[in-house]
Amino acid sequence: MRPRRLRSALTVLSAVAAAATWALGPAGPASADTQRPAPARQAAAAHGLTSVTDLLAQRLLLADKVAAAKYGTDTPIDDPVREAQILDDVRTRAAALGLDPDAVAAVFRDQIEANKLVQRGLYARWDANPGERPTERPDLAKEVRPALDRITTGLLAALRDTERARAVPSCGPRLATAAGWSAYAHRLDALHLEGLGRALPSVCAGSR
């Protein structure tokens, strides 16, 4: 990753972590006076960007199944041919939706890298803790890729619907807020939270 993109990813990750911590709030039930805003209201405050960040979180959670399918086999985490196919496909579909193909490809490239970050983290965890290794091997072709394809379709639609919101200067903080709520809603652990930070840098048009 280029230094500018790395700084952007680290900045966004810090914002996501702060937003997630704020969303979780102090332990224990909230009183009537201190009750946190409902996620739906907070999502509205983020100008609909949770429609994007929720899908990014869902895609990251599927990395667990991808890793479980590959772990202990000869199938590598990096798959340049498959990655190129995905990017070519989203460019074509983005153009049909009236979106900038290269900008959309940049978003999906970040999703691929975020997914691989989680996979590598899981590999390291399983190597260090054999008892945590997956006991089942999901079918990549029949189970995982159809789910990824559904998320791709949803994410393309969300990018189209949020095109204006992603082009304004306030996109960054709103995206961090939305990501914090998505991290909270999907109960992302530290590894997946790091992956979410890696998935975000190209979402706002001004950050590319």
Side-chain angles (χ1 to χ4, degrees):
M1 191 190 308
R2 287 176 291 183
R4 182 171 176 272
R5 292 288 300 282
L6 177 59
R7 288 195 298 272
S8 177
L10 292 174
T11 299
V12 171
L13 176 58
S14 297
V16 170
T21 300
W22 177 81
L24 287 167
S31 68
D33 292 335
T34 61
Q35 188 173 8
R36 294 187 299 274
R41 292 199 297 274
Q42 191 62 31
H47 286 245
L49 290 176
T50 48
S51 65
V52 174
T53 56
D54 277 349
L55 288 165
L56 304 190
Q58 290 173 34
R59 199 178 194 283
L60 279 174
L61 291 171
L62 276 175
D64 295 39
K65 289 192 174 184
V66 176
K70 294 180 177 180
Y71 186 73
T73 73
D74 294 331
T75 305
I77 289 176
D78 291 278
D79 187 349
V81 174
R82 172 68 179 168
E83 293 167 18
Q85 291 172 344
I86 292 171
L87 296 178
D88 287 345
D89 176 61
V90 297
R91 281 191 177 95
T92 300
R93 296 169 67 179
L97 291 172
L99 296 170
D100 180 343
D102 289 336
V104 170
V107 173
F108 276 88
R109 189 177 295 109
D110 282 343
Q111 307 321 303
I112 292 170
E113 293 304 318
N115 193 285
K116 292 192 292 187
L117 183 156
V118 172
Q119 289 183 59
R120 293 188 182 101
L122 290 172
Y123 274 31
R125 182 184 299 172
W126 296 337
D127 285 344
N129 303 281
E132 297 182 16
R133 292 174 183 173
T135 57
E136 297 181 357
R137 194 179 303 283
D139 190 310
L140 277 176
K142 295 180 179 180
E143 180 180 355
V144 181
R145 286 177 180 166
L148 286 172
D149 289 342
R150 287 192 293 272
I151 291 175
T152 294
T153 298
L155 183 53
L156 284 166
L159 291 174
R160 177 198 60 203
D161 295 343
T162 59
E163 186 174 19
R164 183 173 297 180
R166 294 184 297 104
V168 298
S170 59
C171 175
R174 288 172 177 165
L175 181 65
T177 299
W181 279 100
S182 294
Y184 172 58
H186 292 278
R187 302 179 182 274
L188 300 188
D189 62 10
L191 174 59
H192 292 81
L193 185 60
E194 182 181 0
L196 185 58
R198 178 62 186 88
L200 295 175
S202 294
V203 172
C204 292
S207 65
R208 291 189 288 270

PDB file of all heavy atoms in Angstrom, residues 24-38:
ATOM      1  N   LEU A  24     -20.344   1.331  22.072  1.00  0.00           N
ATOM      2  CA  LEU A  24     -20.511   0.346  23.137  1.00  0.00           C
ATOM      3  C   LEU A  24     -20.801   1.021  24.474  1.00  0.00           C
ATOM      4  O   LEU A  24     -21.607   0.536  25.263  1.00  0.00           O
ATOM      5  CB  LEU A  24     -19.245  -0.513  23.248  1.00  0.00           C
ATOM      6  CG  LEU A  24     -19.056  -1.530  22.121  1.00  0.00           C
ATOM      7  CD1 LEU A  24     -17.635  -2.072  22.155  1.00  0.00           C
ATOM      8  CD2 LEU A  24     -20.055  -2.663  22.247  1.00  0.00           C
ATOM      9  N   GLY A  25     -20.120   2.149  24.707  1.00  0.00           N
ATOM     10  CA  GLY A  25     -20.377   2.908  25.921  1.00  0.00           C
ATOM     11  C   GLY A  25     -19.953   2.153  27.167  1.00  0.00           C
ATOM     12  O   GLY A  25     -19.335   1.089  27.109  1.00  0.00           O
ATOM     13  N   PRO A  26     -20.264   2.663  28.338  1.00  0.00           N
ATOM     14  CA  PRO A  26     -19.894   2.003  29.595  1.00  0.00           C
ATOM     15  C   PRO A  26     -20.683   0.735  29.791  1.00  0.00           C
ATOM     16  O   PRO A  26     -21.769   0.568  29.264  1.00  0.00           O
ATOM     17  CB  PRO A  26     -20.241   3.061  30.653  1.00  0.00           C
ATOM     18  CG  PRO A  26     -21.314   3.894  30.014  1.00  0.00           C
ATOM     19  CD  PRO A  26     -20.973   3.933  28.545  1.00  0.00           C
ATOM     20  N   ALA A  27     -20.114  -0.166  30.597  1.00  0.00           N
ATOM     21  CA  ALA A  27     -20.794  -1.432  30.869  1.00  0.00           C
ATOM     22  C   ALA A  27     -22.038  -1.189  31.703  1.00  0.00           C
ATOM     23  O   ALA A  27     -22.139  -0.216  32.442  1.00  0.00           O
ATOM     24  CB  ALA A  27     -19.832  -2.372  31.617  1.00  0.00           C
ATOM     25  N   GLY A  28     -22.980  -2.124  31.574  1.00  0.00           N
ATOM     26  CA  GLY A  28     -24.185  -2.027  32.385  1.00  0.00           C
ATOM     27  C   GLY A  28     -25.305  -1.347  31.643  1.00  0.00           C
ATOM     28  O   GLY A  28     -25.098  -0.687  30.637  1.00  0.00           O
ATOM     29  N   PRO A  29     -26.537  -1.505  32.132  1.00  0.00           N
ATOM     30  CA  PRO A  29     -27.684  -0.926  31.454  1.00  0.00           C
ATOM     31  C   PRO A  29     -27.678   0.583  31.531  1.00  0.00           C
ATOM     32  O   PRO A  29     -27.240   1.174  32.521  1.00  0.00           O
ATOM     33  CB  PRO A  29     -28.879  -1.512  32.232  1.00  0.00           C
ATOM     34  CG  PRO A  29     -28.322  -1.823  33.571  1.00  0.00           C
ATOM     35  CD  PRO A  29     -26.899  -2.236  33.341  1.00  0.00           C
ATOM     36  N   ALA A  30     -28.169   1.227  30.456  1.00  0.00           N
ATOM     37  CA  ALA A  30     -28.231   2.681  30.434  1.00  0.00           C
ATOM     38  C   ALA A  30     -29.489   3.144  31.139  1.00  0.00           C
ATOM     39  O   ALA A  30     -30.533   2.505  31.079  1.00  0.00           O
ATOM     40  CB  ALA A  30     -28.232   3.180  28.982  1.00  0.00           C
ATOM     41  N   SER A  31     -29.380   4.292  31.807  1.00  0.00           N
ATOM     42  CA  SER A  31     -30.554   4.860  32.445  1.00  0.00           C
ATOM     43  C   SER A  31     -31.403   5.570  31.407  1.00  0.00           C
ATOM     44  O   SER A  31     -30.976   5.783  30.268  1.00  0.00           O
ATOM     45  CB  SER A  31     -30.122   5.857  33.531  1.00  0.00           C
ATOM     46  OG  SER A  31     -29.522   6.990  32.923  1.00  0.00           O
ATOM     47  N   ALA A  32     -32.595   5.992  31.802  1.00  0.00           N
ATOM     48  CA  ALA A  32     -33.475   6.669  30.866  1.00  0.00           C
ATOM     49  C   ALA A  32     -32.848   7.959  30.373  1.00  0.00           C
ATOM     50  O   ALA A  32     -33.049   8.372  29.233  1.00  0.00           O
ATOM     51  CB  ALA A  32     -34.821   6.962  31.539  1.00  0.00           C
ATOM     52  N   ASP A  33     -32.031   8.622  31.224  1.00  0.00           N
ATOM     53  CA  ASP A  33     -31.447   9.899  30.846  1.00  0.00           C
ATOM     54  C   ASP A  33     -30.198   9.736  29.998  1.00  0.00           C
ATOM     55  O   ASP A  33     -29.803  10.647  29.285  1.00  0.00           O
ATOM     56  CB  ASP A  33     -31.092  10.714  32.105  1.00  0.00           C
ATOM     57  CG  ASP A  33     -32.342  11.150  32.842  1.00  0.00           C
ATOM     58  OD1 ASP A  33     -33.410  11.267  32.211  1.00  0.00           O
ATOM     59  OD2 ASP A  33     -32.227  11.380  34.069  1.00  0.00           O
ATOM     60  N   THR A  34     -29.522   8.580  30.101  1.00  0.00           N
ATOM     61  CA  THR A  34     -28.250   8.402  29.411  1.00  0.00           C
ATOM     62  C   THR A  34     -28.332   7.353  28.334  1.00  0.00           C
ATOM     63  O   THR A  34     -27.306   6.928  27.815  1.00  0.00           O
ATOM     64  CB  THR A  34     -27.151   7.997  30.421  1.00  0.00           C
ATOM     65  OG1 THR A  34     -27.532   6.753  31.026  1.00  0.00           O
ATOM     66  CG2 THR A  34     -26.984   9.056  31.489  1.00  0.00           C
ATOM     67  N   GLN A  35     -29.523   6.945  27.985  1.00  0.00           N
ATOM     68  CA  GLN A  35     -29.671   5.884  26.983  1.00  0.00           C
ATOM     69  C   GLN A  35     -29.031   6.308  25.670  1.00  0.00           C
ATOM     70  O   GLN A  35     -29.235   7.418  25.197  1.00  0.00           O
ATOM     71  CB  GLN A  35     -31.142   5.570  26.762  1.00  0.00           C
ATOM     72  CG  GLN A  35     -31.366   4.352  25.873  1.00  0.00           C
ATOM     73  CD  GLN A  35     -32.843   3.984  25.814  1.00  0.00           C
ATOM     74  OE1 GLN A  35     -33.681   4.706  26.313  1.00  0.00           O
ATOM     75  NE2 GLN A  35     -33.137   2.861  25.216  1.00  0.00           N
ATOM     76  N   ARG A  36     -28.256   5.404  25.072  1.00  0.00           N
ATOM     77  CA  ARG A  36     -27.575   5.726  23.816  1.00  0.00           C
ATOM     78  C   ARG A  36     -28.591   5.822  22.692  1.00  0.00           C
ATOM     79  O   ARG A  36     -29.635   5.175  22.722  1.00  0.00           O
ATOM     80  CB  ARG A  36     -26.525   4.648  23.489  1.00  0.00           C
ATOM     81  CG  ARG A  36     -25.384   4.599  24.482  1.00  0.00           C
ATOM     82  CD  ARG A  36     -24.310   3.643  23.991  1.00  0.00           C
ATOM     83  NE  ARG A  36     -24.797   2.287  23.836  1.00  0.00           N
ATOM     84  CZ  ARG A  36     -24.828   1.399  24.811  1.00  0.00           C
ATOM     85  NH1 ARG A  36     -24.428   1.725  26.013  1.00  0.00           N
ATOM     86  NH2 ARG A  36     -25.268   0.178  24.590  1.00  0.00           N
ATOM     87  N   PRO A  37     -28.272   6.601  21.622  1.00  0.00           N
ATOM     88  CA  PRO A  37     -29.192   6.690  20.500  1.00  0.00           C
ATOM     89  C   PRO A  37     -29.383   5.327  19.860  1.00  0.00           C
ATOM     90  O   PRO A  37     -28.469   4.517  19.806  1.00  0.00           O
ATOM     91  CB  PRO A  37     -28.466   7.654  19.532  1.00  0.00           C
ATOM     92  CG  PRO A  37     -27.485   8.390  20.379  1.00  0.00           C
ATOM     93  CD  PRO A  37     -27.092   7.453  21.475  1.00  0.00           C
ATOM     94  N   ALA A  38     -30.568   5.059  19.369  1.00  0.00           N
ATOM     95  CA  ALA A  38     -30.830   3.797  18.682  1.00  0.00           C
ATOM     96  C   ALA A  38     -29.978   3.733  17.432  1.00  0.00           C
ATOM     97  O   ALA A  38     -29.744   4.743  16.777  1.00  0.00           O
ATOM     98  CB  ALA A  38     -32.310   3.709  18.304  1.00  0.00           C
TER      99      ALA A  38
END
